[in-house]
């Protein structure tokens, strides 16, 4: 690693991926030691080597200014789930389920009616519960339609509280997790569907923000600040498993977002009088956060 002076993000991500595979193998071997306290030296040595390699990754990653495309390349190619057939097949099934909803039309009505409908739907789900697979999938279908409708009115929401939607959604998500722990929902399915749901929401949210800004619908400083942070979420909030569960269409959408986000973030930064070095350095910061978590 010390001999590497300058690497493209693809090559750096490939090295990180190989290291993570090797790290898992060595860790598994060390964990089989039945006399860990007496034989602590190998684990200490391994920890020191790991820290040293991570420092080298950080050095190479920060050798030059990176872009949002680099953030995406790193996350996609360094994921420990990359190339795993089980994850790929699961992603295909779940993605088809969500993509089938794209043809379902949005609800009609103004923002007040949409928020009311959304709220009553969440309250109904909380009352009835989610205790089997069919209820779980039915919830996802209706919620997706409501969320897409909500996004179509996003620019109008600056003067209203959506805390009841946020808290209601959190309550239902906890119910789903509890139902999975009790065995009412297959744990693997619950995790996969919720991961793809999150991906879909984060990407759609960022796309809507960029479209609203381009069309001149965002006028206040408060809106611009909120939109600024929502546009960054695809590069910050999607974890390794979420990256593995991306469909081919979503991967293409994220590539397009790396292009659209760069200009939009710069534009928002100027209008909000943000430090240009800070906004230009956001991809570097996201890459540092990712590598420091290895």
């Amino acid at each position: 690693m010390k001999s590497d002076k300058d690497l493209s993000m693809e090559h750096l991500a490939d090295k990180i991926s190989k290291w993570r595979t090797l790290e898992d193998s060595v860790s598994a071997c060390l964990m089989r030691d039945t006399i860990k306290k007496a034989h602590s030296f190998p684990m200490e040595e391994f920890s020191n080597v790991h820290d040293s390699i991570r420092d080298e990754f950080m050095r190479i990653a920060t050798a030059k200014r990176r872009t949002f495309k680099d953030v995406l390349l790193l996350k996609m190619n360094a994921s420990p789930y990359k190339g795993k057939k089980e994850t790929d097949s699961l992603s295909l099934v779940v993605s088809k389920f969500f993509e089938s909803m794209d043809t379902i039309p949005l609800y009609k009505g103004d923002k007040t009616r949409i928020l009311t409908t959304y709220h009553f739907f969440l309250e109904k789900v909380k009352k009835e519960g989610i205790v089997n697979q069919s209820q779980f999938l039915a919830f996802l279908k209706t919620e997706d339609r409501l969320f897409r409708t909500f996004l179509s009115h996003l620019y109008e929401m600056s003067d209203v509280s959506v805390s009841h939607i946020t808290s209601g959604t959190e309550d239902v998500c906890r119910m789903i997790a509890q139902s999975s722990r009790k065995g009412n929902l297959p744990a693997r399915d619950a995790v996969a569907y919720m991961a793809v749901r999150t991906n879909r929401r984060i990407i759609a949210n960022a796309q809507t923000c960029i479209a609203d800004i381009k069309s001149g619908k965002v006028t206040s400083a408060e809106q611009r600040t909120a939109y600024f942070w929502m546009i960054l979420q695809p590069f910050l909030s999607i974890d390794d498993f979420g990256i593995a569960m991306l469909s081919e269409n979503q991967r293409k959408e994220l590539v397009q977002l790396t292009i659209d986000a760069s200009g939009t973030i710069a534009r928002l930064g100027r209008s909000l009088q943000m430090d240009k070095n800070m906004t230009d350095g956001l991809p570097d910061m996201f890459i540092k956060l990712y590598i420091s978590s290895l």
Side-chain angles (χ1 to χ4, degrees), residues 11-56:
H11 287 120
L12 176 59
D14 182 61
K15 283 184 176 287
I16 291 175
S17 178
K18 289 177 179 177
W19 166 244
R20 295 178 98 166
T21 301
L22 178 59
E23 179 192 26
D24 285 345
S25 300
V26 176
S27 297
C29 181
L30 292 174
M31 290 303 293
R32 288 196 295 268
D33 190 343
T34 57
I35 319 177
K36 292 183 176 64
K37 187 172 182 180
H39 298 169
S40 61
F41 169 75
M43 185 60 78
E44 292 174 1
E45 182 70 10
F46 172 68
S47 178
N48 290 334
V49 170
H50 174 79
D51 290 344
S52 176
I53 290 175
R54 185 172 56 196
D55 289 344
E56 292 302 316

Side-chain angles (χ1 to χ4, degrees), residues 101 107 121 137-147:
M101 303 177 202
Y107 287 100
F121 165 70
L137 297 182
F139 161 74
L140 292 175
K141 284 185 177 181
T142 304
E143 188 212 29
D144 184 84
R145 185 184 181 191
L146 281 164
F147 184 73

